[in-house]
Amino acid sequence: MAIERTLSILKPDACLRNLTGRIMTVIEDSGLRVVAGKRLQLTQERAEAFYAVHKDRPFFGDLVSYMISGPVEVRVLEGEGAVAKYREIMGATNPAEAADGTIRKLFAENVERNSVHGSDSQENAAKEIAFFFTPEEFTG
Ligand code: IDP
Ligand code: MG
């Protein structure tokens, strides 16, 4: 499998509950490596743009409100098959359905406040990384 990059977001519920260190431990223990990262506050406009693919879903308004309810930490993770590997350690969207040991099983509050985002394909990873990072922000 090839070396890939994927976008990780530690969502407001994780930042506000001081869980970022514990979540990063799970991520780093999986072998994925951080090659760019920062903490920021999303605006309504930026959150709507990031989740535009979900704009017709019934939960869209609540999702945007939640994503601007506190800081987020965005990182680019790199490693063998990073997109699928990170989705695997995140666990299912709904923590009630997430496998034991996954980030969402360990830390998520519910299907909305589920602690982490991860890109779902290499194509979306490239778009999401470009949404948050410029080339100068990478350490390699
Ligand atoms: P994913 O984060 O596992 O890729 P998506 O289906 O892309 O899941 O949904 C994006 C985000 O929208 C989820 O992570 C979660 O925060 C929220 N979400 C998804 N489904 C629901 C729902 O049924 N109710 C409330 N929020 C949801
Ligand atoms: Mg998704």
Side-chain angles (χ1 to χ4, degrees):
M1 203 175 283
I3 300 289
E4 297 173 358
R5 287 179 170 179
T6 192
L7 183 82
S8 162
I9 305 178
L10 306 191
K11 294 179 175 182
D13 70 274
C15 292
L16 292 172
R17 289 184 292 146
N18 260 5
L19 293 172
T20 60
R22 289 166 71 183
I23 294 172
M24 288 313 301
T25 296
V26 177
I27 291 172
E28 293 189 325
D29 283 352
S30 80
L32 291 168
R33 180 172 296 281
V34 177
V35 294
K38 55 197 171 186
R39 177 175 282 226
L40 58 93
Q41 172 68 50
L42 284 169
T43 62
Q44 170 119 3
E45 263 186 353
R46 289 280 285 166
E48 285 176 354
F50 183 77
Y51 277 121
V53 64
H54 293 309
K55 67 180 184 329
D56 297 325
R57 307 284 287 277
F59 58 79
F60 180 70
D62 285 345
L63 173 60
V64 169
S65 298
Y66 155 60
M67 289 299 291
I68 65 174
S69 68
V72 296
E73 290 190 1
V74 292
R75 289 185 180 80
V76 179
L77 306 178
E78 187 176 87
E80 289 275 329
V83 171
K85 178 179 256 186
Y86 183 48
R87 293 291 303 193
E88 190 184 328
I89 65 167
M90 281 169 51
T93 306
N94 185 347
E97 293 160 12
D100 284 348
T102 61
I103 294 166
R104 283 165 166 171
K105 179 73 168 195
L106 288 167
F107 302 113
E109 294 186 283
N110 55 49
V111 67
E112 178 185 83
R113 303 174 65 83
N114 59 4
S115 302
V116 281
H117 167 86
S119 309
D120 62 8
S121 66
Q122 287 195 64
E123 188 188 350
N124 284 334
K127 287 183 196 162
E128 292 176 0
I129 289 167
F131 185 89
F132 283 110
F133 293 95
T134 60
E136 303 75 50
E137 292 177 286
F138 287 84
T139 55

